[in-house]
PDB file of all heavy atoms in Angstrom:
ATOM      1  N   ARG A  13    -100.865  10.237  -0.329  1.00  0.00           N
ATOM      2  CA  ARG A  13     -99.655  10.389   0.470  1.00  0.00           C
ATOM      3  C   ARG A  13     -98.502  10.939  -0.371  1.00  0.00           C
ATOM      4  O   ARG A  13     -97.797  11.853   0.063  1.00  0.00           O
ATOM      5  CB  ARG A  13     -99.233   9.067   1.089  1.00  0.00           C
ATOM      6  CG  ARG A  13     -97.941   9.205   1.917  1.00  0.00           C
ATOM      7  CD  ARG A  13     -97.432   7.881   2.475  1.00  0.00           C
ATOM      8  NE  ARG A  13     -98.433   7.254   3.329  1.00  0.00           N
ATOM      9  CZ  ARG A  13     -98.930   6.030   3.130  1.00  0.00           C
ATOM     10  NH1 ARG A  13     -98.515   5.285   2.141  1.00  0.00           N
ATOM     11  NH2 ARG A  13     -99.833   5.542   3.950  1.00  0.00           N
ATOM     12  N   ALA A  14     -98.317  10.395  -1.566  1.00  0.00           N
ATOM     13  CA  ALA A  14     -97.202  10.830  -2.418  1.00  0.00           C
ATOM     14  C   ALA A  14     -97.336  12.303  -2.785  1.00  0.00           C
ATOM     15  O   ALA A  14     -96.367  13.068  -2.701  1.00  0.00           O
ATOM     16  CB  ALA A  14     -97.137   9.970  -3.677  1.00  0.00           C
ATOM     17  N   ARG A  15     -98.532  12.724  -3.161  1.00  0.00           N
ATOM     18  CA  ARG A  15     -98.736  14.128  -3.557  1.00  0.00           C
ATOM     19  C   ARG A  15     -98.609  15.056  -2.345  1.00  0.00           C
ATOM     20  O   ARG A  15     -97.999  16.122  -2.437  1.00  0.00           O
ATOM     21  CB  ARG A  15    -100.094  14.292  -4.232  1.00  0.00           C
ATOM     22  CG  ARG A  15    -100.394  15.685  -4.709  1.00  0.00           C
ATOM     23  CD  ARG A  15     -99.451  16.134  -5.794  1.00  0.00           C
ATOM     24  NE  ARG A  15     -99.783  17.507  -6.158  1.00  0.00           N
ATOM     25  CZ  ARG A  15     -98.994  18.310  -6.818  1.00  0.00           C
ATOM     26  NH1 ARG A  15     -97.821  17.891  -7.237  1.00  0.00           N
ATOM     27  NH2 ARG A  15     -99.365  19.537  -7.095  1.00  0.00           N
ATOM     28  N   ARG A  16     -99.180  14.644  -1.227  1.00  0.00           N
ATOM     29  CA  ARG A  16     -99.086  15.457  -0.005  1.00  0.00           C
ATOM     30  C   ARG A  16     -97.619  15.635   0.376  1.00  0.00           C
ATOM     31  O   ARG A  16     -97.179  16.746   0.680  1.00  0.00           O
ATOM     32  CB  ARG A  16     -99.864  14.788   1.135  1.00  0.00           C
ATOM     33  CG  ARG A  16     -99.767  15.525   2.466  1.00  0.00           C
ATOM     34  CD  ARG A  16    -100.413  14.762   3.604  1.00  0.00           C
ATOM     35  NE  ARG A  16     -99.887  13.428   3.830  1.00  0.00           N
ATOM     36  CZ  ARG A  16     -98.693  13.169   4.388  1.00  0.00           C
ATOM     37  NH1 ARG A  16     -97.909  14.154   4.772  1.00  0.00           N
ATOM     38  NH2 ARG A  16     -98.303  11.914   4.574  1.00  0.00           N
ATOM     39  N   SER A  17     -96.869  14.557   0.352  1.00  0.00           N
ATOM     40  CA  SER A  17     -95.444  14.618   0.694  1.00  0.00           C
ATOM     41  C   SER A  17     -94.669  15.488  -0.286  1.00  0.00           C
ATOM     42  O   SER A  17     -93.792  16.253   0.122  1.00  0.00           O
ATOM     43  CB  SER A  17     -94.841  13.213   0.709  1.00  0.00           C
ATOM     44  OG  SER A  17     -95.420  12.452   1.734  1.00  0.00           O
ATOM     45  N   ALA A  18     -94.989  15.354  -1.565  1.00  0.00           N
ATOM     46  CA  ALA A  18     -94.299  16.156  -2.582  1.00  0.00           C
ATOM     47  C   ALA A  18     -94.512  17.645  -2.353  1.00  0.00           C
ATOM     48  O   ALA A  18     -93.622  18.457  -2.636  1.00  0.00           O
ATOM     49  CB  ALA A  18     -94.770  15.763  -3.979  1.00  0.00           C
ATOM     50  N   LEU A  19     -95.672  18.000  -1.830  1.00  0.00           N
ATOM     51  CA  LEU A  19     -95.972  19.410  -1.557  1.00  0.00           C
ATOM     52  C   LEU A  19     -95.471  19.856  -0.188  1.00  0.00           C
ATOM     53  O   LEU A  19     -95.566  21.030   0.160  1.00  0.00           O
ATOM     54  CB  LEU A  19     -97.478  19.660  -1.644  1.00  0.00           C
ATOM     55  CG  LEU A  19     -98.099  19.500  -3.031  1.00  0.00           C
ATOM     56  CD1 LEU A  19     -99.616  19.680  -2.953  1.00  0.00           C
ATOM     57  CD2 LEU A  19     -97.488  20.479  -4.025  1.00  0.00           C
ATOM     58  N   GLY A  20     -94.965  18.917   0.608  1.00  0.00           N
ATOM     59  CA  GLY A  20     -94.450  19.255   1.933  1.00  0.00           C
ATOM     60  C   GLY A  20     -95.525  19.521   2.960  1.00  0.00           C
ATOM     61  O   GLY A  20     -95.287  20.210   3.958  1.00  0.00           O
ATOM     62  N   LEU A  21     -96.711  18.970   2.729  1.00  0.00           N
ATOM     63  CA  LEU A  21     -97.812  19.143   3.683  1.00  0.00           C
ATOM     64  C   LEU A  21     -97.810  18.012   4.699  1.00  0.00           C
ATOM     65  O   LEU A  21     -97.524  16.863   4.349  1.00  0.00           O
ATOM     66  CB  LEU A  21     -99.159  19.119   2.964  1.00  0.00           C
ATOM     67  CG  LEU A  21     -99.538  20.304   2.091  1.00  0.00           C
ATOM     68  CD1 LEU A  21    -100.840  20.012   1.360  1.00  0.00           C
ATOM     69  CD2 LEU A  21     -99.676  21.556   2.939  1.00  0.00           C
ATOM     70  N   SER A  22     -98.149  18.324   5.932  1.00  0.00           N
ATOM     71  CA  SER A  22     -98.312  17.274   6.935  1.00  0.00           C
ATOM     72  C   SER A  22     -99.726  16.705   6.813  1.00  0.00           C
ATOM     73  O   SER A  22    -100.606  17.310   6.189  1.00  0.00           O
ATOM     74  CB  SER A  22     -98.109  17.842   8.336  1.00  0.00           C
ATOM     75  OG  SER A  22     -99.177  18.715   8.669  1.00  0.00           O
ATOM     76  N   GLN A  23     -99.937  15.566   7.440  1.00  0.00           N
ATOM     77  CA  GLN A  23    -101.276  14.992   7.474  1.00  0.00           C
ATOM     78  C   GLN A  23    -102.239  15.930   8.190  1.00  0.00           C
ATOM     79  O   GLN A  23    -103.394  16.069   7.788  1.00  0.00           O
ATOM     80  CB  GLN A  23    -101.259  13.623   8.150  1.00  0.00           C
ATOM     81  CG  GLN A  23    -100.557  12.568   7.327  1.00  0.00           C
ATOM     82  CD  GLN A  23    -100.451  11.239   8.040  1.00  0.00           C
ATOM     83  OE1 GLN A  23    -100.396  11.188   9.271  1.00  0.00           O
ATOM     84  NE2 GLN A  23    -100.387  10.163   7.273  1.00  0.00           N
ATOM     85  N   ALA A  24    -101.758  16.589   9.230  1.00  0.00           N
ATOM     86  CA  ALA A  24    -102.598  17.522   9.981  1.00  0.00           C
ATOM     87  C   ALA A  24    -103.014  18.703   9.101  1.00  0.00           C
ATOM     88  O   ALA A  24    -104.172  19.135   9.141  1.00  0.00           O
ATOM     89  CB  ALA A  24    -101.870  18.006  11.229  1.00  0.00           C
ATOM     90  N   GLU A  25    -102.083  19.227   8.324  1.00  0.00           N
ATOM     91  CA  GLU A  25    -102.404  20.371   7.451  1.00  0.00           C
ATOM     92  C   GLU A  25    -103.430  19.977   6.395  1.00  0.00           C
ATOM     93  O   GLU A  25    -104.391  20.716   6.142  1.00  0.00           O
ATOM     94  CB  GLU A  25    -101.130  20.893   6.782  1.00  0.00           C
ATOM     95  CG  GLU A  25    -100.182  21.580   7.741  1.00  0.00           C
ATOM     96  CD  GLU A  25     -98.810  21.845   7.154  1.00  0.00           C
ATOM     97  OE1 GLU A  25     -98.298  21.003   6.362  1.00  0.00           O
ATOM     98  OE2 GLU A  25     -98.234  22.897   7.497  1.00  0.00           O
ATOM     99  N   LEU A  26    -103.237  18.802   5.787  1.00  0.00           N
ATOM    100  CA  LEU A  26    -104.215  18.339   4.796  1.00  0.00           C
ATOM    101  C   LEU A  26    -105.561  18.109   5.462  1.00  0.00           C
ATOM    102  O   LEU A  26    -106.597  18.529   4.929  1.00  0.00           O
ATOM    103  CB  LEU A  26    -103.724  17.059   4.114  1.00  0.00           C
ATOM    104  CG  LEU A  26    -104.696  16.437   3.107  1.00  0.00           C
ATOM    105  CD1 LEU A  26    -105.064  17.423   2.000  1.00  0.00           C
ATOM    106  CD2 LEU A  26    -104.106  15.154   2.532  1.00  0.00           C
ATOM    107  N   GLY A  27    -105.553  17.497   6.627  1.00  0.00           N
ATOM    108  CA  GLY A  27    -106.795  17.252   7.343  1.00  0.00           C
ATOM    109  C   GLY A  27    -107.563  18.526   7.639  1.00  0.00           C
ATOM    110  O   GLY A  27    -108.768  18.607   7.403  1.00  0.00           O
ATOM    111  N   ARG A  28    -106.845  19.530   8.158  1.00  0.00           N
ATOM    112  CA  ARG A  28    -107.501  20.816   8.452  1.00  0.00           C
ATOM    113  C   ARG A  28    -108.108  21.415   7.187  1.00  0.00           C
ATOM    114  O   ARG A  28    -109.216  21.949   7.216  1.00  0.00           O
ATOM    115  CB  ARG A  28    -106.505  21.803   9.068  1.00  0.00           C
ATOM    116  CG  ARG A  28    -106.355  21.656  10.566  1.00  0.00           C
ATOM    117  CD  ARG A  28    -105.614  22.827  11.198  1.00  0.00           C
ATOM    118  NE  ARG A  28    -104.244  22.983  10.695  1.00  0.00           N
ATOM    119  CZ  ARG A  28    -103.193  22.294  11.129  1.00  0.00           C
ATOM    120  NH1 ARG A  28    -103.339  21.384  12.082  1.00  0.00           N
ATOM    121  NH2 ARG A  28    -101.990  22.504  10.629  1.00  0.00           N
ATOM    122  N   ALA A  29    -107.388  21.317   6.086  1.00  0.00           N
ATOM    123  CA  ALA A  29    -107.853  21.931   4.839  1.00  0.00           C
ATOM    124  C   ALA A  29    -109.113  21.265   4.288  1.00  0.00           C
ATOM    125  O   ALA A  29    -109.903  21.923   3.603  1.00  0.00           O
ATOM    126  CB  ALA A  29    -106.737  21.886   3.797  1.00  0.00           C
ATOM    127  N   VAL A  30    -109.304  19.978   4.592  1.00  0.00           N
ATOM    128  CA  VAL A  30    -110.484  19.283   4.064  1.00  0.00           C
ATOM    129  C   VAL A  30    -111.505  18.930   5.142  1.00  0.00           C
ATOM    130  O   VAL A  30    -112.503  18.269   4.867  1.00  0.00           O
ATOM    131  CB  VAL A  30    -110.088  18.011   3.259  1.00  0.00           C
ATOM    132  CG1 VAL A  30    -109.237  18.377   2.063  1.00  0.00           C
ATOM    133  CG2 VAL A  30    -109.409  16.966   4.124  1.00  0.00           C
ATOM    134  N   GLY A  31    -111.243  19.363   6.380  1.00  0.00           N
ATOM    135  CA  GLY A  31    -112.227  19.203   7.441  1.00  0.00           C
ATOM    136  C   GLY A  31    -112.228  17.861   8.159  1.00  0.00           C
ATOM    137  O   GLY A  31    -113.280  17.425   8.632  1.00  0.00           O
ATOM    138  N   VAL A  32    -111.063  17.229   8.250  1.00  0.00           N
ATOM    139  CA  VAL A  32    -110.961  15.988   9.025  1.00  0.00           C
ATOM    140  C   VAL A  32    -109.718  16.047   9.908  1.00  0.00           C
ATOM    141  O   VAL A  32    -108.854  16.899   9.726  1.00  0.00           O
ATOM    142  CB  VAL A  32    -110.881  14.723   8.113  1.00  0.00           C
ATOM    143  CG1 VAL A  32    -112.133  14.589   7.268  1.00  0.00           C
ATOM    144  CG2 VAL A  32    -109.635  14.737   7.243  1.00  0.00           C
ATOM    145  N   ARG A  33    -109.620  15.137  10.850  1.00  0.00           N
ATOM    146  CA  ARG A  33    -108.436  15.062  11.707  1.00  0.00           C
ATOM    147  C   ARG A  33    -107.323  14.308  10.985  1.00  0.00           C
ATOM    148  O   ARG A  33    -107.581  13.556  10.049  1.00  0.00           O
ATOM    149  CB  ARG A  33    -108.776  14.349  13.015  1.00  0.00           C
ATOM    150  CG  ARG A  33    -109.762  15.123  13.867  1.00  0.00           C
ATOM    151  CD  ARG A  33    -110.025  14.356  15.169  1.00  0.00           C
ATOM    152  NE  ARG A  33    -110.944  15.079  16.014  1.00  0.00           N
ATOM    153  CZ  ARG A  33    -110.583  16.000  16.908  1.00  0.00           C
ATOM    154  NH1 ARG A  33    -109.323  16.315  17.060  1.00  0.00           N
ATOM    155  NH2 ARG A  33    -111.489  16.606  17.645  1.00  0.00           N
TER     156      ARG A  33
END
Side-chain angles (χ1 to χ4, degrees):
R13 179 184 301 123
R15 181 64 182 163
R16 177 186 58 74
S17 295
L19 294 176
L21 289 174
S22 69
Q23 291 176 331
E25 290 168 324
L26 177 58
R28 275 193 299 278
V30 298
V32 298
R33 294 181 179 272

